[in-house]
Amino acid sequence: MTLTGQHIIGNSFSNQGTQTFTGINPATNNKLETTFYEATQAEVDQAVQLAAKAFFAYRKTSPEQKATFLERIAEEIMALGDLLIKQCMAETALPEARLTGERGRTTTQLKLFATVLREGSWLDARIDTALPDRQPLPRPDIRQIHIPLGVVGIFGASNFPFAFSVAGGDTASALAAGCTVVVKGHPAHPGTSEMVGRAIQKAAQDTGMPEGVFSMLHGTSHEVGMAMVNHPLVKAIGFTGSYRGGKALFDAAAKREEPIPVYAEMGSTNPVFVLPQALKERSATIADGLSKSVTLGVGQFCTNPGLVVTLQSEATKAFITKTGEYLRATAPATMLTPVMSQSFNKGIAHLKSVAGVEVVAEVEGKPASNAAGAVLLQSTGKALQQNPQLAEEVFGPSTVYITCDTKEEILETARNLKGHLTATLHATPQDLEEYKELIDILENKVGRLLINGYPTGVEVGYAMVHGGPYPATTDSRSTSVGTAAIKRFARPVCYQDFPAVLLPDALKNENPLNIWRLVNGAWSKESIA
Ligand code: NAP
């Protein structure tokens, strides 16, 4: 496939703008070949208008048709073969094995949403049949399901060029919900975005989807993204990236004449509490596991464990020293973009300047290849209370170990946390009994709690929550990973006393979709007499 550098607008390609950019190989700082165009305001409008028009036809396609479309996208991505992996390696410096795995995760995710559509319970169909003889007043027939919101604007993430980008979880869940999608590809991997975008375009054409069900625009300027958020026909936004970016989009959406939901996943430091008994019993194993989790993918994961809390003791000192040894043995590696590696260095310099912070281990990366090495910093519970910015994300392979003097100080440290995606406890049954209150506190701070595990590696499934209270996300009621992500792009609507012929299939008496429904308060697949 020869890259065009153009935007995908429905079935066409477009390059009306005069501003251009190229991808950069972060391992060499060399510009890559293809010239990409910056989308104009007119192109944003064209893509959104087409998506709004397509919405009315797309939302009426059957669950089976949408499922077939999603599966075809997965097939078309696989058909791109090694060329896609090679393009992505050149743009991100991520290794082949990681990208092959991430492509598999992306196609599996698309197929999982196809399964969700065929199974149908996500619609949350509810039926309260009429009670004409009820006293003192008869009850009308009331039926509810979820319907799609409309056009969704999606921002591709830099750190997951497949799984959170053009055909990633946000796109898969929005299309599954019945929404049409306009993606702003991340400028760090424009060629990868074009290849995946064209795979979706082909899948849409081959499965007879209405033109405009999917479009993709390139852009390095905030104007492109802001134009999408401010477009009156856009009804929701999906975003993964920085706090600054997510908050700016959220604020802009709230200021619109018609405010819209922004599902921004903005990362966190994922506190890990290593409790005394567990530390005594398996200090070296936990130090090994944590150092692997901190350096996985050069630390460029929003679930990276960036804050580790322990109780001060001799065993804790040995644990910190051991983690330092493991981290020192990990080779530096190239980060996703030159800017990201500069931000990492800046973030570490800032942490080091905070009073009460000591460097335990630091591996220098090579500036020329944008490489970052692991950094382990150490501080105390008291210093953290005075400098809460120690608990803020520095995107990359670093972590801060916090030692507390008492159990109460550990609990207070937990109480002072803001919202995070995850929290982890390393604990024995005895620790769990002694620190019961910690779970209570942490439940109110995060979207996922782990025991004796590591937060990196987010399973795509039915029960996953990848979300959490602000500032980890802008909406703690949802998840951006797993099948429940579909609910972000739908809303409940109810039909009162509707004639059978006008009811959606999911609510018809005969239950033609054969889905689970809550009929008069009981789950059932039976038809209604
Ligand atoms: P980013 O700066 O948040 O950018 C992500 C996307 O949002 C880009 O398309 C960007 O467009 C757009 N955007 C950002 N700010 C915007 C604004 N004010 N108005 C309109 N659009 C805006 O993220 P990034 O480039 O991937 O990486 C930068 C930093 O984000 C990292 O160093 C890291 O701290 C963090 N990050 C977090 C996660 C996570 O999982 N939570 C993932 C990746 C990165 P432009 O290209 O026009 O800027």
Side-chain angles (χ1 to χ4, degrees), residues 38 155-160 184-188 219-226 229 239-249 265-268 300-303 335-337 339-341 343-344 393-396 421 466 472:
E38 189 86 20
F155 289 77
S158 58
N159 60 337
F160 277 97
K184 176 186 180 285
H186 197 286
T220 57
S221 80
H222 292 352
E223 281 79 23
V224 176
M226 277 300 174
V229 173
F239 169 93
T240 302
S242 65
Y243 171 79
R244 221 171 37 181
K247 183 67 166 51
L249 302 181
E265 192 269 89
M266 305 177 292
S268 71
Q300 298 164 119
F301 290 123
C302 43
T303 48
M335 294 194 79
L336 289 160
T337 66
V339 172
M340 217 171 258
S341 104
S343 303
F344 177 68
E393 185 180 54
V394 173
F395 204 66
L421 295 168
H466 187 61

